[in-house]
Structure formats: C-alpha cells, structure tokens
Amino acid sequence: MSLKITDDCTSCDACVSVCPNTAISAGDVIYVINPAACTECVGAEDSPQCQMVCPADCIVVGDVESKDVLMARYHSLHG
C-alpha cells in the first residue's frame, strides 16, 4: 500500500476525480484508497494528485514502496 486516508477525512470528494487509477472510493464513514490500485500517481503525474487537492491534509504515506513497484503496478492497471 502506498497512500492512505486518515480519520481526519471530511468526505469532501475532492480526491476522487483526480486519481488517475480510480483508487479512491467512498468508505463507510470516510474515503478509502484501494492499495492494489494506488501508485502514488507514479506513471501518470509527478506527485500524488490526491494529496495536492485534499483540503484536510489527511492523505498520508502508508507502507513505503519503491518507484519500480509503483510503476509496475501502474503498467498492470493501464496495460
């Protein structure tokens, strides 16, 4: 897993549309990031777009993954 959303999430929906991998969805209370689809925007953008638009600053790095792992995941998602 790369990024995760903390309990500080206000469910504002800002992060959903900017995710190039559609990895973010509504959870029971707050939004969640699917770790199998999150690449921290590696392969699509220079930095994680969800973090840039989050007004609550509640998207943080979870388990650290190498850029090679993230790029491989991006290619597996986008062919």
Side-chain angles (χ1 to χ4, degrees):
M1 175 179 181
S2 301
L3 300 175
K4 65 179 184 175
I5 299 175
T6 69
D7 290 338
D8 294 331
C9 176
T10 61
S11 298
C12 71
D13 199 42
C15 58
V16 176
S17 64
V18 298
C19 180
N21 302 327
T22 60
I24 303 171
S25 61
D28 290 337
V29 178
I30 62 173
Y31 279 81
V32 294
I33 298 176
N34 175 354
C38 179
T39 64
E40 294 184 35
C41 290
V42 168
E45 301 289 344
D46 292 332
S47 60
Q49 300 299 291
C50 59
Q51 285 182 319
M52 292 178 60
V53 301
C54 180
D57 290 324
C58 66
I59 302 173
V60 298
V61 176
D63 296 333
V64 176
E65 295 178 300
S66 72
K67 286 203 182 236
D68 291 337
V69 168
L70 296 171
M71 184 62 82
R73 183 177 303 136
Y74 178 81
H75 285 301
S76 72
L77 292 168
H78 297 279

